[in-house]
Amino acid sequence: MTLLVLSALVVAFCLGIAGVEAGRLISYPPHIRTKRGSYIVEFESHIPKTHVSRFHAMSDVSVDRHFTKVLNGISVSVSKRDFDPSHFAQMDGVKRVWPVRYYYPASTPSAASNSSSLYLHHATGVEKALKELGVDGKGIKIGIVDSGVDYNHPELGGCWKTEGCPWQYGEDFIGDKYNEADAIPIIEPNPTPMDCAGHGTHVSGILAGRGPQVRGVAPGATFGMYRVFSCPINGEGGSSDDILLQGIEAAFEDGHDIINLSLGGGAWSEEPVAVACAQIVQQGVVVVAALGNDGAGGLQTGSAPAIARGVISVGSVDNWNVTSKPGIITSAQGTQKIALSMPGDSKYPFDFDSDTPLEIPAGGEDSIVGCANYTENMSGKIVVVKRGGCTFNEKALYAYTAGAIGVICYNNVAGDMSPAVSNSVPIPFVGISDDDGKHVTDTLAAGKATVKAPKGAREISPSKTGGQISLFSSIGPSAELDMVPLISAPGGNIWSTYPQKLGSYASLSGTSMATPYISGTVALLKQARPDLDVRAITRLLVSNGKPITDPATGLKTTPFMSGAGLVNIYDAIKSRVQFDPPVLSLNDSKISHIQGYSKLESLGSVRWAARTISIHNTDCKKSLHLSLSNAAANSLSMILANGSFSYSPRTWPADTSSVSEDTLPQVYSPNAEKTIGPGKTCSVTVFIVAPKGLKDLESWYYGGFINFTLQWDGEKTTSTQVVSYGGYNGDSTIQDVLSPPSDGLPALVDTVTGEPVNDLSTLVIDNNSTKAILFGLSIPSRLVEIMLVDAATDKSAGYMVQGYNEYLARTCPECSVPYVGVPLTKTVFTDSKLTNVTRVPAGKYHVRIRALRPFGDTSVDSDYQVWDSGDFTIA
């Protein structure tokens, strides 16, 4: 824990900006990495471009970029260290001000590769659309905002902006030297967006690959690459939202039909990139975005801009066929073959042509997972460690420091591994499944063992989890309880193109990989049906998804994980009906008797919601006959049966041998059967009843699919389309926001030792304080305040440093943000702008955290969850 505490608090002490009045100056919590002295300023829609001249006239302020298409605003940098950004917020015509934050691509090198795209294209209807309908994306323009592309790759055209080249648009906005750790990151764009990181080239192959190894979804489309991520430096390959906005705006100005965003950050639709994407959608461009890879953290882990209104948010399913590197384990018991992942960076391949000794670090749990300094010399050995406890990069660094020449990391949950390491640590790092991990550790427990992994060896085998939701895929709903993701596509263990300098091909996993797959299917749909607008495209894509069955329960996987299910683009193209809306986000609902449908009065008081679905028969010659039925999905909760909190969601039903109907959501309709004339539209009202057999206090998120069985006059065959639905089984406004006590948070800690301060009665805070308050959030919060409170009067003495934070995402041990750290000093701010600084007088104080509950009013005290620490002394 020490490393995590210290790294979080370095950010807490050095970064961050305070918030002012809601809706004007937006503040980020201290763990969010921001660019010092840089801000994005959004103007009201009616403000003319000449308004920018006022900023040019300000001393110490430089206008860096002017956004006119996707966001009416500018990005600015301030040279004066003590500049108060609330001055921007108070200027006439300013709508919002954000600190510039950093962003990262949403993928990780995966456990296996797939050298054939045919099966996944078969499962998604892409192969059938290509063969039977002849669509390949021709005439459709796709803008990719990413880390660049190796356009010289033979499977990506081997060209740049020449006649007949697939790459006709794009530019570099960042260059190769950008490092967010620098006080002023260097931005030196190159003449072309050549990729040195690999992510963008991999994404490009999924869209544009021309074979023989990689066959893209829409190889006939025309592409643009807008490079906004730099080369990985010190393990990082990030960007910032002002650069992202520049790339997104350029893609929009170049007239792309689709913009692909395999990236994410933040959890609210108020993020500047999310705001821009929502505006782009309103102007008729399809935006497809990755939901994120924080599925290990449980519910509500989706990220912006995928959660923005109108954006197609994408979840990931695992590939069906995987190709792994064989590893031969030899011991006194004999030999055993295991499946090793393939490093995405060929600079450090896991190639060992002779038997190389294996060893597990000695010591406690931190040593076994490779998250502590080794007590032994590992020179010439390959270290075997368990997943968890720290980042893969940290595991690699500990092993390398001890002299190891490689690392094998085994999974701590069922299935294959997806380890991600940067090339800053010069040893190969691979992952293996939990089953293979057990074999290796059992073998080493019995004696010595070696591994051999011949260069160039590769084996293809079926995946045990093919077609199932990837464990890493983030889970909805959004912070405002909207349904995300909308749809899913192959994203786990995807073999695609990679920069030739880094090996030409790689296997990556992430919603980053699923996102271009969906962008490609949208291109096929637009080519086949050019008359469709953005909303119609979303409707057809989503309602033709194929819900995924959970093999453990036999029910459908919740739409909060899968959206409408696996994409099927052939069915979407051939569809003759549109459902509006294609998704029903029910949020929560109050308990009452159902009104408007007398036949349901016998249900008594229940949580229910009524929704109307408009159904348009686009066949102008035949009448449509339809009927509807309900397919209940799993319900998810982060509250276990014993009342404790778990980041790994609990699933209902746990035992499928006996499932009471009242523990599943029910759907009723007074007009469950309809006939719609040619070209006509009608409406169907549905009453959705939450599972009353599940306890409110257990905070269940329920959902399912309304199946519409369709048959047109004169046709014998029927087809099915779906409208997914989901809601919260309780009163969301009373949910606790802060992490549960079982996490040991909130807590006061020593930033030097990383240890909690248990006895606050003897704690004295002076000018040299190294203490901080750590807290986590079990659900997102619109506002969290951290203040010092006078113990004698129980009145606030002021906000702590970085003690006013808006639009916070969830935290969790396995998420990209494990917790938030705020320094504890004698300094407080007496205003929410955090501009009026004062030092509190000596005396007894305690820390108070106020976290706004869902849909709470910031001015109502009872809408906050409140936590108080014990009393301590300020000298």
Side-chain angles (χ1 to χ4, degrees):
M1 176 178 176
T2 302
L3 278 175
L4 290 173
V5 170
L6 292 178
S7 62
L9 290 174
V10 167
V11 176
F13 276 100
C14 298
L15 297 175
I17 272 295
V20 61
E21 50 207 277
R24 301 297 294 278
L25 176 59
I26 306 301
S27 63
Y28 289 133
H31 65 277
I32 298 298
R33 300 184 69 178
T34 59
K35 188 186 293 186
R36 183 178 300 162
S38 297
Y39 306 93
I40 293 173
V41 180
E42 181 187 17
F43 302 133
E44 298 287 355
S45 59
H46 64 278
I47 299 299
K49 298 177 182 179
T50 54
H51 193 72
V52 179
S53 61
R54 293 196 293 164
F55 288 81
H56 283 292
M58 297 175 69
S59 60
D60 302 316
V61 175
S62 173
V63 177
D64 300 323
R65 297 173 182 85
H66 189 187
F67 307 110
T68 59
K69 303 296 184 182
V70 302
L71 190 79
N72 184 22
I74 56 177
S75 66
V76 300
S77 55
V78 181
S79 58
K80 189 178 179 182
R81 276 190 170 271
D82 59 349
F83 180 82
D84 178 9
S86 65
H87 294 317
F88 292 149
Q90 293 163 1
M91 294 173 67
D92 291 341
V94 171
K95 184 177 181 180
R96 280 178 287 205
V97 179
W98 296 274
V100 170
R101 67 174 292 167
Y102 291 109
Y103 271 75
Y104 304 92
S107 73
T108 61
S110 77
S113 64
N114 176 23
S115 56
S116 171
S117 305
L118 296 181
Y119 189 81
L120 59 89
H121 287 345
H122 171 75
T124 58
V126 168
E127 181 185 13
K128 193 173 183 180
L130 291 170
K131 288 183 177 180
E132 294 187 15
L133 306 179
V135 290
D136 63 357
K138 184 177 181 179
I140 306 302
K141 295 165 61 176
I142 306 175
I144 307 168
V145 182
D146 216 293
S147 69
V149 59
D150 182 354
Y151 45 79
N152 290 323
H153 198 294
E155 294 206 36
L156 296 178
C159 56
W160 179 252
K161 292 187 178 182
T162 56
E163 186 176 354
C165 180
W167 301 97
Q168 290 294 325
Y169 304 92
E171 58 183 297
D172 185 356
F173 294 97
I174 195 167
D176 298 345
K177 301 177 181 179
Y178 187 93
N179 184 358
E180 56 265 42
D182 295 340
I184 303 177
I186 299 171
I187 300 176
E188 293 181 356
N190 298 316
T192 63
M194 177 57 73
D195 187 11
C196 56
H199 187 273
T201 301
H202 195 278
V203 164
S204 298
I206 295 168
L207 274 164
R210 298 184 168 193
Q213 286 207 47
V214 179
R215 299 186 184 278
V217 179
T222 301
F223 300 96
M225 173 56 74
Y226 302 86
R227 186 182 179 218
V228 296
F229 291 107
S230 188
C231 305
I233 299 175
N234 298 324
E236 302 286 357
S239 184
S240 54
D241 45 16
D242 56 340
I243 298 175
L244 262 60
L245 285 171
Q246 195 175 6
I248 292 169
E249 181 161 275
F252 177 78
E253 289 183 312
D254 282 344
H256 289 286
D257 302 291
I258 305 158
I259 296 178
N260 185 94
L261 299 172
S262 292
L263 50 88
W268 292 81
S269 58
E270 285 76 7
E271 297 285 342
V273 173
V275 171
C277 288
Q279 293 187 15
I280 289 174
V281 172
Q282 291 178 2
Q283 296 182 62
V285 176
V286 178
V287 178
V288 185
L291 187 61
N293 301 329
D294 279 332
L299 290 147
Q300 293 189 284
T301 49
S303 63
I307 47 80
R309 302 290 168 81
V311 171
I312 298 176
S313 53
V314 184
S316 170
V317 302
D318 284 346
N319 204 347
W320 291 264
N321 294 323
V322 296
T323 303
S324 58
K325 184 181 184 69
I328 308 300
I329 305 296
T330 302
S331 67
Q333 289 77 40
T335 61
Q336 174 77 27
K337 185 164 62 178
I338 63 173
L340 303 165
S341 71
M342 305 184 69
D345 188 348
S346 64
K347 187 176 181 180
Y348 304 112
F350 198 89
D351 294 337
F352 295 94
D353 292 324
S354 60
D355 290 321
T356 306
L358 295 168
E359 188 154 342
I360 297 174
E365 179 65 18
D366 283 347
S367 298
I368 294 172
V369 298
C371 296
N373 291 318
Y374 291 13
T375 58
E376 61 268 68
N377 187 338
M378 293 293 184
S379 296
K381 299 177 181 179
I382 295 172
V383 174
V384 179
V385 296
K386 182 180 179 181
R387 180 183 183 182
C390 61
T391 68
F392 297 125
N393 242 49
E394 289 170 329
K395 292 177 189 289
L397 182 59
Y398 279 123
Y400 173 70
T401 303
I405 58 175
V407 179
I408 296 176
C409 182
Y410 61 94
N411 210 349
N412 58 0
V413 295
D416 294 327
M417 267 286 290
S418 297
V421 295
S422 73
N423 58 20
S424 61
V425 183
I427 57 173
F429 189 106
V430 295
I432 58 177
S433 69
D434 58 321
D435 288 340
D436 282 346
K438 185 177 188 307
H439 168 75
V440 173
T441 54
D442 287 349
T443 300
L444 287 170
K448 295 183 178 181
T450 62
V451 65
K452 180 190 292 186
K455 182 178 181 179
R458 223 168 43 177
E459 293 184 349
I460 298 176
S461 60
S463 169
K464 297 177 182 178
T465 57
Q468 295 297 309
I469 293 297
S470 304
L471 291 177
F472 58 76
S473 191
S474 288
I475 306 173
S478 73
E480 295 160 298
L481 298 188
D482 288 329
M483 179 74 77
V484 289
L486 292 182
I487 193 74
S488 293
N493 306 323
I494 304 299
W495 182 251
S496 185
T497 50
Y498 219 57
Q500 295 173 93
K501 292 182 178 180
L502 299 179
S504 296
Y505 301 94
S507 179
L508 302 186
S509 286
T511 51
S512 273
M513 286 60 255
T515 299
Y517 204 99
I518 291 297
S519 293
T521 63
V522 172
L524 304 186
L525 181 56
K526 283 187 68 69
Q527 180 189 4
R529 301 178 64 170
D531 57 314
L532 298 175
D533 61 18
V534 173
R535 289 190 62 190
I537 288 169
T538 302
R539 288 195 292 265
L540 289 175
L541 196 71
V542 173
S543 65
N544 284 280
K546 306 305 175 188
I548 299 167
T549 300
D550 182 347
T553 66
L555 297 181
K556 301 302 181 184
T557 297
T558 172
F560 289 125
M561 297 177 74
S562 69
L566 182 64
V567 66
N568 189 296
I569 194 57
Y570 180 86
D571 286 355
I573 292 172
K574 299 293 287 184
S575 175
R576 289 175 283 169
V577 61
Q578 289 190 28
F579 296 89
D580 188 18
V583 171
L584 302 178
S585 294
L586 307 177
N587 301 325
D588 60 3
S589 53
K590 305 301 180 184
I591 296 177
S592 66
H593 284 80
I594 296 178
Q595 299 175 356
Y597 193 11
S598 59
K599 291 184 178 180
L600 300 182
E601 291 178 356
S602 60
L603 294 177
S605 291
V606 292
R607 294 192 183 277
W608 65 280
R611 295 290 188 272
T612 298
I613 303 169
S614 174
I615 306 170
H616 178 48
N617 177 14
T618 59
D619 191 318
C620 295
K621 296 181 179 179
K622 298 180 179 181
S623 291
L624 166 64
H625 308 279
L626 65 81
S627 61
L628 66 86
S629 60
N630 176 44
N634 295 334
S635 293
L636 297 181
S637 172
M638 298 177 72
I639 308 297
L640 300 181
N642 62 8
S644 62
F645 186 90
S646 171
Y647 288 102
S648 179
R650 171 189 174 199
T651 300
W652 182 269
D655 179 8
T656 56
S657 61
S658 178
V659 181
S660 173
E661 186 177 272
D662 69 353
T663 64
L664 302 176
Q666 304 297 321
V667 176
Y668 306 91
S669 177
N671 40 13
E673 296 185 0
K674 281 271 189 178
T675 296
I676 308 173
K680 300 297 183 179
T681 300
C682 79
S683 295
V684 170
T685 299
V686 293
F687 293 81
I688 302 173
V689 179
K692 64 179 182 179
L694 298 181
K695 299 176 182 178
D696 280 12
L697 293 178
E698 293 183 348
S699 299
W700 290 97
Y701 290 82
Y702 67 91
F705 303 89
I706 303 173
N707 293 327
F708 287 90
T709 301
L710 314 171
Q711 186 173 32
W712 277 265
D713 277 347
E715 299 180 11
K716 294 182 179 180
T717 59
T718 61
S719 59
T720 301
Q721 293 190 30
V722 300
V723 171
S724 56
Y725 65 88
Y728 177 72
N729 189 44
D731 183 354
S732 66
T733 64
I734 62 173
Q735 288 189 87
D736 281 344
V737 178
L738 296 172
S739 293
S742 58
D743 278 7
L745 299 176
L748 265 71
V749 299
D750 189 307
T751 62
V752 175
T753 66
E755 297 300 322
V757 181
N758 295 318
D759 186 4
L760 299 187
S761 64
T762 61
L763 176 63
V764 178
I765 303 299
D766 55 24
N767 293 332
N768 300 314
S769 171
T770 59
K771 306 300 186 290
I773 183 75
L774 298 187
F775 67 92
L777 299 177
S778 59
I779 58 176
S781 180
R782 165 70 177 77
L783 174 64
V784 176
E785 301 172 327
I786 309 100
M787 56 191 70
L788 275 179
V789 175
D790 188 310
T793 64
D794 199 40
K795 293 187 179 299
S796 172
Y799 295 105
M800 291 169 55
V801 175
Q802 299 169 344
Y804 189 92
N805 302 287
E806 297 180 88
Y807 301 111
L808 278 75
R810 273 203 53 218
T811 63
C812 72
E814 296 294 329
C815 292
S816 53
V817 179
Y819 45 74
V820 182
V822 176
L824 176 57
T825 70
K826 298 169 65 174
T827 299
V828 296
F829 298 87
T830 58
D831 64 326
S832 62
K833 301 176 183 179
L834 303 193
T835 56
N836 297 330
V837 184
T838 186
R839 285 180 175 269
V840 298
K844 289 285 188 180
Y845 295 86
H846 55 260
V847 174
R848 174 167 294 165
I849 300 176
R850 295 187 351 131
L852 190 67
R853 300 183 193 273
F855 307 108
D857 185 331
T858 57
S859 64
V860 178
D861 288 343
S862 60
D863 284 353
Y864 290 83
Q865 181 187 359
V866 179
W867 175 87
D868 285 348
S869 74
D871 292 344
F872 50 82
T873 300
I874 291 185

